[in-house]
């Protein structure tokens, strides 16, 4: 009996000790007060672009709610990889964050020696915005709708030129995947960026353009360009009158460029959850929603970190397969 009681006391003492150790570990992992100094928000592209605009809109509200300035650092280069790599290698303490794009889901498959792994070295925090890809035509192509466009190009395989915002973007990859599934063959004209491609599309150099709304919508009033479909399984609130390719009876290819908030892998869960909460509050702000909506972004509700991570991994797998099938590489 004495032995049993003694054993029970030892067991209780051991459980208490384990509990204290666990509590001490949790306390060590979660800073008692965060943030206590400014937060650095890396935008891996030059100032003035759409990613930068989203970052600045959200950063202002984040800074107000966190009680510390959120400072934008534009660190462009290598298709967004220089900035992303810098954040991936930063201390996981919540003071260095990344505004990342869909390039995070494709870079691993495009670059032979990427010095970081976007899926392993970065932790999703919140989804900020998405920008759907539309299929545009100019007035050099006399078709009434998307079905007629597809019938026209399929009747003459390899004889129609088209382009997208830039090679290996989701606009480009989405077009390749769609035409592959739809059984159509067109010739893609490669441009270094959206600016020159858009100018040539407006000038009639090529008739079909896979691009976001922002660069092209301002030219719709002239009547020279129009969207025939959105490359998605559903319509987009950006232009709700434009049908999706799926509802028109074509393969449901979802090419969804996105902008998300990420932190270095290993950032304490409490910090990630706090950032997720404050991001949701920022995205719910009418001023932020109006600002992003004016740039033709679908404003997100923030999402949940784990779900965003799973979605990004699935996106990476899908676009990786498209990249391999088409032999795309970036030197």
């Amino acid at each position: 009996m004495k032995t049993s009681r003694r054993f029970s006391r030892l067991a209780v003492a051991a459980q208490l000790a384990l509990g204290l150790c666990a509590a001490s570990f949790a306390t060590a992992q979660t800073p008692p007060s965060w943030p206590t100094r400014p937060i650095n928000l890396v935008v891996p592209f030059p100032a003035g672009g759409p990613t930068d605009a989203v970052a600045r809109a959200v950063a202002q509200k984040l800074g107000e709610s966190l009680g510390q300035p959120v400072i934008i650092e534009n660190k462009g280069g290598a298709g967004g990889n220089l900035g992303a790599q810098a954040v991936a290698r930063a201390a996981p303490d919540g003071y260095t964050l990344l505004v990342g794009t869909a390039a995070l889901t494709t870079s691993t498959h495009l670059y032979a020696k990427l010095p970081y792994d976007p899926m392993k070295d970065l932790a999703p925090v919140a989804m900020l915005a998405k920008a759907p890809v539309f299929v545009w035509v100019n007035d050099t192509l006399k078709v009434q709708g998307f079905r007629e466009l597809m019938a026209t190009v399929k009747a003459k395989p390899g004889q129609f030129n088209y382009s997208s915002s830039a090679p290996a973007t989701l606009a480009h990859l989405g077009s390749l995947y769609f035409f592959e599934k739809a059984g159509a063959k067109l010739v893609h004209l490669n441009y270094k960026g959206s600016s020159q491609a858009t100018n040539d599309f407006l000038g009639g150099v090529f008739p079909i353009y896979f691009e976001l709304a922002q660069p092209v919508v301002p030219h719709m009033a002239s009547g020279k360009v129009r969207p025939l479909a959105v490359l998605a399984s559903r319509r987009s609130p950006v232009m709700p009158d434009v049908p999706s390719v799926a509802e028109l009876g074509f393969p449901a290819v979802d090419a969804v460029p996105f902008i998300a908030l990420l932190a270095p892998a290993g950032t304490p869960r409490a910090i990630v959850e706090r950032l997720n909460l404050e991001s949701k509050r920022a995205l719910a702000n009418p001023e932020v929603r109006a600002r992003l909506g004016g740039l033709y972004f679908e404003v997100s509700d923030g999402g949940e970190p784990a779900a965003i991570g799973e979605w990004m991994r699935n996106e990476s797998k899908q676009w990786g397969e498209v990249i391999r099938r088409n032999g795309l590489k970036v030197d």
Side-chain angles (χ1 to χ4, degrees):
M1 189 69 175
K2 289 181 179 180
T3 303
S4 178
R5 287 177 179 173
R6 185 168 178 270
F7 179 81
S8 297
R9 286 197 297 270
L10 288 172
V12 170
Q15 288 176 352
L16 286 172
L18 286 172
L20 288 171
C21 288
S24 298
F25 179 78
T27 301
Q29 294 298 304
T30 305
S33 58
W34 176 92
T36 59
R37 55 186 172 86
I39 296 169
N40 192 40
L41 185 58
V42 176
V43 177
F45 300 99
T51 307
D52 181 71
V54 172
R56 292 180 188 277
V58 174
Q60 180 181 347
K61 297 301 178 184
L62 272 180
E64 292 173 3
S65 60
L66 291 171
Q68 290 289 341
V70 177
I71 301 171
I72 300 291
E73 178 188 356
N74 293 98
K75 193 176 182 67
N81 283 308
L82 287 183
Q85 178 185 332
V87 175
R89 293 180 174 178
D93 54 11
Y95 290 103
T96 304
L97 305 173
L98 173 71
V99 177
T101 68
L104 296 174
T105 64
T106 60
S107 291
T108 305
H109 311 289
L110 290 167
Y111 291 82
K113 295 181 180 179
L114 198 66
Y116 76 106
D117 188 332
M119 297 298 110
K120 294 180 180 179
D121 299 334
L122 294 166
V125 172
M127 183 63 67
L128 303 180
K130 295 180 179 180
V133 174
F134 291 89
V135 185
W136 303 83
V137 294
N138 58 30
D139 58 2
T140 65
L141 195 58
K142 308 300 181 184
V143 293
Q144 296 302 311
F146 189 72
R147 289 193 180 97
E148 186 178 347
L149 170 67
M150 291 302 296
T152 301
V153 299
K154 290 177 77 171
K156 298 180 179 180
Q159 296 185 38
F160 282 90
N161 294 334
Y162 81 102
S163 192
S164 57
S165 52
T169 60
L170 286 201
H172 180 208
L173 298 178
S175 71
L176 293 175
Y177 192 29
F178 175 77
F179 286 139
E180 176 185 301
K181 295 186 75 172
K185 184 178 181 181
L186 291 84
V187 178
H188 185 269
L189 303 180
N190 291 331
Y191 287 84
K192 290 184 178 180
S194 176
S195 179
Q196 186 58 51
T198 300
N199 286 338
D200 278 6
F201 173 63
L202 296 172
V205 175
F206 57 88
I208 306 163
Y209 194 27
F210 283 68
E211 178 57 294
L212 313 184
Q214 185 185 11
V216 191
V217 164
H219 304 282
M220 287 177 61
S222 68
K224 293 183 177 181
V225 298
R226 54 201 169 96
L228 297 186
V230 60
L231 195 58
S233 55
R234 60 172 180 81
R235 295 192 182 204
S236 169
V238 168
M239 287 196 287
D241 293 335
V242 179
S244 71
V245 292
E247 73 178 83
L248 292 172
F250 294 93
V253 172
D254 282 280
V256 189
F258 65 88
I259 297 177
L261 183 66
L262 302 102
T267 298
R269 181 177 176 181
I271 291 179
V272 171
E273 290 178 347
R274 174 79 188 282
L275 283 167
N276 177 265
L277 175 63
E278 301 302 348
S279 296
K280 289 178 177 177
R281 288 175 175 168
L283 293 168
N285 183 279
E287 180 183 337
V288 173
R289 297 188 73 83
R291 189 170 173 183
L292 299 188
L295 295 172
Y296 301 97
F297 280 107
E298 295 180 2
V299 186
S300 174
D301 62 1
E304 299 301 326
I308 296 168
E310 182 178 1
W311 180 76
M312 287 179 62
R313 286 188 291 273
N314 289 335
E315 286 284 288
S316 180
K317 180 180 178 181
Q318 172 179 279
W319 299 122
E321 291 172 354
V322 173
I323 289 167
R324 283 190 290 276
R325 285 200 298 271
N326 288 275
L328 301 179
K329 288 294 179 184
V330 176
D331 296 326

